[in-house]
Amino acid sequence: LKTLSHLRGVDPGFDGRGVMTASIALPDAAYKDPARRVAFYQAVLSKLSQTPGVTAAGAVNALPFSGGDPTASFEIEGRVVGPSDPSFHGSKRQASPEYFKVLHIPLLAGRFFDDRDRASGQPVAIIDVNLARRYWPNRNPIGQRIRLEAFSKNGWTTIVGIVGHVKQTSLAADTGRGAYYFPLYQQPREEALFAVRGNAPPALLNQAIRSAVHSVAPAQAV
């Protein structure tokens, strides 16, 4: 009982009250082109944002406590990793501009993603406070640049914001691993999770998500 009481007081780094979530997996045959995936997410989120009772709508590749925590190593411009040194590493996310607002993840410095952060714009990233403290302990990470090997063809990605740390898998045993976020519209995935905050009953939020998805892709499973 004491443990349970303690866990109830742990700050997970986000607020899930009043949030409905749903997952989708776009068929590769129809959405092989990244531009089509972007158009799908933009259309669905735009529809949701205009739905009565919905106050914010976003999408991400891995929601907290959803069973997934993708991680990857990255490079930091101007730093050389020795043969025996550990690589720079963190949890990797792709998020839409409104995602942080849906879960009330606080902005600590810089900015959130916005309409500038499209495929034709400058590659940008947001990091959380844990990643900032680990790899930039004595300097401001805003304006620094990182790069993933998988996306090296896009060049360096500029850090534009710092957000709070989110406990991803456990309240009691969070790894404390830092996270970095890329704009979903610059790195669109075939699979994503929608998160919708609203002041409507859960059944209505559920229906709002299904209706928004089916208005864009009638045969898409939710």
Side-chain angles (χ1 to χ4, degrees):
L1 289 175
K2 287 183 178 180
T3 300
L4 177 61
S5 177
H6 173 70
L7 288 176
R8 285 175 59 86
V10 172
D11 180 9
F14 67 95
D15 180 9
R17 294 171 295 182
V19 176
M20 175 67 68
T21 66
S23 63
I24 58 98
L26 298 174
D28 185 65
Y31 290 92
K32 189 173 184 179
D33 181 4
R36 289 208 64 190
R37 298 177 215 155
V38 171
F40 171 84
Y41 293 127
Q42 288 176 333
V44 172
L45 293 176
S46 175
K47 181 77 172 178
L48 281 169
S49 67
Q50 300 171 31
T51 301
V54 172
T55 56
V60 71
N61 66 315
L63 280 165
F65 300 96
S66 64
D69 185 17
T71 66
S73 296
F74 59 92
E75 302 173 63
I76 298 177
E77 187 178 31
R79 298 195 198 179
V80 178
V81 178
S84 60
D85 296 333
S87 61
F88 306 120
H89 197 77
S91 296
K92 178 189 170 190
R93 305 282 181 265
Q94 286 96 359
S96 70
E98 293 292 312
Y99 169 71
F100 304 98
K101 297 177 184 178
V102 173
L103 291 190
H104 292 173
I105 300 171
L107 179 67
L108 306 179
R111 67 173 179 88
F112 287 130
F113 298 139
D114 58 31
D115 288 340
R116 291 171 285 179
D117 306 319
R118 305 297 175 93
S120 59
Q122 176 190 26
V124 296
I126 290 173
I127 64 174
D128 77 357
V129 64
N130 284 20
L131 203 75
R133 289 170 178 166
R134 180 173 184 182
Y135 295 123
W136 293 271
N138 300 310
R139 62 188 305 183
N140 182 5
I142 303 295
Q144 302 297 311
R145 302 203 296 178
I146 63 175
R147 180 172 66 185
L148 292 176
E149 287 187 7
F151 296 96
S152 60
K153 64 181 182 296
N154 295 334
W156 294 97
T157 297
T158 303
I159 297 171
V160 296
I162 303 173
V163 296
H165 175 67
V166 171
K167 296 182 186 298
Q168 184 70 17
T169 58
S170 171
L171 289 176
D174 178 55
T175 64
R177 180 173 48 240
Y180 53 99
Y181 301 80
F182 296 120
L184 181 65
Y185 300 155
Q186 289 186 346
Q187 295 186 17
R189 296 173 54 86
E190 296 91 344
E191 299 179 359
L193 295 105
F194 290 110
V196 179
R197 177 175 292 278
N199 49 27
L204 292 182
L205 293 178
N206 181 333
Q207 186 56 45
I209 295 174
R210 294 180 184 278
S211 295
V213 170
H214 293 156
S215 71
V216 178
Q220 176 62 44
V222 183

